[in-house]
Amino acid sequence: MTAKELIIQELKQVPEPLLEEVLDFLQFLKMKQERDWLENEVDLRDAHAVLAEAQEQGTTSLGNLKRELGL
């Protein structure tokens, strides 16, 4: 039996007040998943922007960077 089928089977035996809590929790999980997906999209766009900037402006070696920073 799949997880979905097991959940449906359990839901058939749950009283209505508990079903409302289950629904709230399910909606929370869906919103959290969407928010996490959007945050990952932003991180990916940031990484692409940094890569594009590095390609546009050129790169430097770690040694040069350390010298420029006085390390």
Side-chain angles (χ1 to χ4, degrees):
M1 208 176 254
T2 67
K4 187 174 187 175
E5 292 169 332
L6 289 170
I7 291 170
I8 291 170
Q9 186 178 22
E10 288 293 324
L11 289 175
K12 290 178 181 178
Q13 302 171 27
V14 175
E16 187 66 28
L18 189 55
L19 285 175
E20 291 172 10
E21 289 186 48
V22 171
L23 178 59
D24 286 344
F25 184 63
L26 179 59
Q27 290 171 336
F28 162 77
L29 290 175
K30 288 172 63 178
M31 285 178 17
K32 180 181 179 295
Q33 183 180 38
E34 184 175 324
R35 184 188 68 229
D36 292 347
W37 182 83
L38 289 172
E39 287 175 359
N40 288 338
E41 283 293 310
V42 168
D43 290 343
L44 185 57
R45 277 183 271 154
D46 289 346
H48 284 294
V50 168
L51 178 59
E53 183 178 341
Q55 289 173 337
E56 184 179 296
Q57 295 181 7
T59 59
T60 186
S61 70
L62 182 57
N64 288 341
L65 179 60
K66 285 181 177 180
R67 275 193 298 282
E68 287 179 28
L69 294 174
L71 301 175

